[in-house]
Amino acid sequence: MESLPPELNLQIVSILDGDAPSVKNFTGEPSVEKWAHCKHQPLKALSLASRSWRTAVFPVLFRNIRLDLDCVWPDSLVSKDPQKIFHAEDFIAFLSNPALRNWTTSLFVCARDTTDSVIETPSDGFWETILPLMPRLQRISILASPEAIGHLIDIEIVMYDAWAFDMPLQAIMLEQAAGSGYDETKDLPDSRRFPSAMWRNGVLDPRKWTKLSVNEASSLKAYGTYEYFHKHPPSISRGLKDYFRVAPDFQTLTHITFVAIFPLPSVVGRFLARFSKLRLALHSLSVQLAPLPASRLLEDPERVGTAQLGDCWLELGESYRFLGEVITKQAARKGSRFRVFTSLDWGHYELFQEELSDSLSEQFAEYEWKTAGDGVWTRPDEIDSEAEYYSDTTDVAFDISDSEDPAMDAFGDD
């Protein structure tokens, strides 16, 4: 093995290399065990084989790193004392190594048992301390309770119906192209519409994010409660609504992935409405609204509880019908760049497949979208030259009332 040419060594490393568990498992139910740990670590084992293999593996060995807040936050990760801003000395020392910092492109932050500690501790200084140590960072993923995520990225998570939902963990992932960074000279928007406090965290700032993925976990438990359709789950996308009102600062965002397990149709509608301001930039949307079959969630009596699964599938069909209607209208609006929709549920459940196909195919066919594979529809560019666009003076596709939600103000075109 030592006599192999370096090019062949690199080829072997590329074959063994792969995405971090938090990326590979993002469409599954949020889980620290599955997202934060990897049973097989071939690159790590290979790096221990010899010095030459260590050299070949090193550039990718520390590409994906994890910060476990369960280990550092109880010791006051953040403090108001400027001399004690960040107490994860080992993590900072690790990133401060010049040989490592230039190879790190992905950060995964997770917290399972520290929600109270996280939300009771000021987050000022947290991101400002660690992000400058990763100049080539392309992806940030956060897995924690909804309330803890809200605190970490400085958004409001409404929790008054949280008791009705089984959502101990949710996740958000932001990605940007290689070479992108933070523009410190960028002018901040009008503080009357966008409070300056929302800019302090360093994550949802004017970075050139191109992809946003949100996993809002399972709403299955809520279907077993009285008038479940009036319940409002803890929601990351709901908390993000104020950021995406200021469209000019997020026009680099071209792709959104939304994952949830049996979300209420009203939740899906509001999710679409919150991103209406991005219609001139957004190119594609992927959704997954049913549990992965491998999770066997629907076979667990304790998780299903008193929920009527028939109601769950009916509401899922309604959500997809609404998606088809809204997406086609959004794409038909003047200046829209929306071109691709993907259902990640396609082919997973045979009994639901026909309804899923009917819910989407008819809507897309009406607007001349084409199928581009299983669960993928595309809008041909040539349609734009012939299309009769909706007027931009009225947000036809996103006219969704929020009158039933007193905790939330309007989120359409205002």
Side-chain angles (χ1 to χ4, degrees), residues 197-215:
M198 298 174 69
W199 289 78
R200 70 185 183 207
N201 60 76
V203 175
L204 297 178
D205 58 17
R207 291 171 181 267
K208 296 178 181 178
W209 299 120
T210 57
K211 297 181 181 179
L212 167 69
S213 301
V214 173
N215 188 323

Side-chain angles (χ1 to χ4, degrees), residues 9 13 34-35 54 64 67 78 97 154 170 226 244 262 279-280 293 295 300 303 317 321 332 336-338 345 353 388:
N9 287 350
V13 170
K34 293 181 179 180
W35 291 29
R54 176 75 172 182
N64 305 301
L67 174 58
V78 178
N97 186 333
D154 200 12
Q170 291 187 352
Y226 178 66
F244 294 99
F262 293 125
R279 62 178 175 269
L280 299 182
S295 70
D300 186 341
R303 294 292 305 280
R321 280 187 288 275
S336 174
R337 299 177 186 174
F338 199 96
D345 292 311
Q353 187 63 33
E388 181 178 350

